[in-house]
């Protein structure tokens, strides 16, 4: 079994800036390595039969130019696809538009580095909750992928919602939130501002505040 607290320390987290056609955007970047061949990691990230086992059920046309929809979450359009190395898509949720890019690099025959970049404009939600608002969710997703790949036979499933409510899950969320607090400060955000919004985001993901506060 994977040590979930150790999993936190294997992820590199960065916050940066990027120019997009509509102007300047902020980026949330996660990078981690898995003990699995690049083809296996690619399949786990793109196969609609495997995605529900570690992330969410997905419907749609999972190919270049196709649209997708994760159950109860985001949907969008697949804008780039270079198997088994990278794909990019819009990430549309609750009326908002952002983008994701996933890149895979084979560091060895049985070791693959995954880098996920979430690109979003600096709107009121970002100013209030900071990078952890999407970063904690992606940390949970990457841990689910680690558990899935670690199972070997690909049959393990990860119930993120149930696990997040456990003491172990809450500690994971806290550690992830602290990681994003540090990344926020490293990107140039005033420490007091970064602290306030990290605390709000950790509380929300831990279920310690009402939904309207989130």
């Amino acid at each position: 079994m994977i040590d979930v607290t150790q999993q936190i320390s294997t992820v590199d987290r960065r916050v940066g800036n990027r120019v997009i056609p509509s102007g300047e955007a902020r980026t949330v970047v996660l990078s981690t390595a898995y003990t699995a061949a690049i083809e296996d990691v690619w399949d786990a990230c793109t196969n609609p039969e495997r995605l529900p086992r570690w992330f969410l059920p997905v419907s749609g046309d999972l190919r270049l130019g196709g649209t997708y929809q994760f159950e109860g979450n985001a949907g969008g359009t697949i804008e780039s696809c270079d198997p088994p190395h990278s794909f990019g898509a819009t990430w549309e949720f609750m009326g908002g538009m952002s983008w994701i890019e996933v890149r895979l690099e084979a560091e060895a025959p049985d070791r693959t580095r995954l880098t996920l970049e979430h690109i979003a404009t600096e709107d009121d939600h970002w100013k209030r909750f900071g990078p952890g608002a999407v970063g904690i969710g992606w940390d949970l997703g990457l841990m689910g992928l680690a558990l899935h790949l670690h199972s070997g036979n690909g049959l393990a499933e990860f119930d993120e919602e149930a696990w997040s409510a456990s003491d172990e899950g809450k500690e994971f969320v806290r550690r992830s939130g602290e990681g994003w607090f540090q990344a926020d400060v490293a990107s140039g955000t005033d420490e007091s501002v970064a602290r306030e919004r990290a605390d709000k985001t950790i509380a929300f993901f831990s279920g310690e505040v009402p939904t309207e506060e989130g």
Side-chain angles (χ1 to χ4, degrees):
M1 192 66 172
I2 294 221
D3 183 340
V4 294
T5 55
Q6 181 182 2
Q7 176 65 21
I8 281 286
S9 66
T10 69
V11 179
D12 176 60
R13 301 170 186 82
R14 290 179 284 115
V15 178
N17 300 305
R18 181 165 170 175
V19 176
I20 59 176
S22 60
E24 188 170 341
R26 302 305 304 272
T27 61
V28 170
V29 183
L30 304 89
S31 181
T32 190
Y34 296 105
T35 304
I38 189 171
E39 293 82 6
D40 188 29
V41 180
W42 175 266
D43 188 65
C45 292
T46 60
N47 187 332
E49 294 184 0
R50 292 181 69 177
L51 278 164
R53 297 173 188 164
W54 64 272
F55 193 58
L56 289 168
V58 64
S59 59
D61 187 9
L62 303 186
R63 61 178 178 177
L64 183 61
T67 59
Y68 71 93
Q69 179 64 55
F70 282 113
E71 187 176 293
N73 204 292
T77 301
I78 299 170
E79 297 187 321
S80 64
C81 186
D82 178 23
H85 303 291
S86 66
F87 66 85
T90 62
W91 189 261
E92 303 169 38
F93 184 62
M94 297 183 65
M97 168 78 85
S98 55
W99 299 263
I100 61 167
E101 294 181 359
V102 174
R103 298 181 290 276
L104 302 180
E105 178 186 359
E107 297 185 335
D110 62 348
R111 180 179 171 87
T112 302
R113 177 159 297 279
L114 182 151
T115 300
L116 186 151
E117 185 170 3
H118 195 133
I119 306 149
T121 56
E122 191 170 2
D123 56 11
D124 289 341
H125 190 265
W126 175 281
K127 292 175 181 177
R128 187 178 181 192
F129 295 103
V134 296
I136 292 176
W138 286 124
D139 264 323
L140 287 164
L142 294 187
M143 191 200 65
L145 178 57
L147 292 169
H148 175 69
L149 293 169
H150 185 72
S151 71
N153 58 18
L155 297 179
E157 295 189 10
F158 176 55
D159 187 338
E160 179 182 311
E161 184 176 354
W163 184 79
S164 296
S166 69
D167 289 342
E168 187 179 36
K170 290 180 179 180
E171 177 62 13
F172 182 93
V173 164
R174 187 192 69 78
R175 288 172 179 257
S176 170
E178 289 301 319
W180 288 111
F181 161 71
Q182 294 168 13
D184 201 9
V185 172
S187 74
T189 301
D190 180 86
E191 185 170 347
S192 62
V193 172
R195 180 74 271 162
E196 180 180 3
R197 55 195 194 182
D199 287 346
K200 287 180 180 177
T201 305
I202 292 169
F204 175 72
F205 274 91
S206 300
E208 297 173 2
V209 293
T211 302
E212 60 265 23
E213 292 294 323

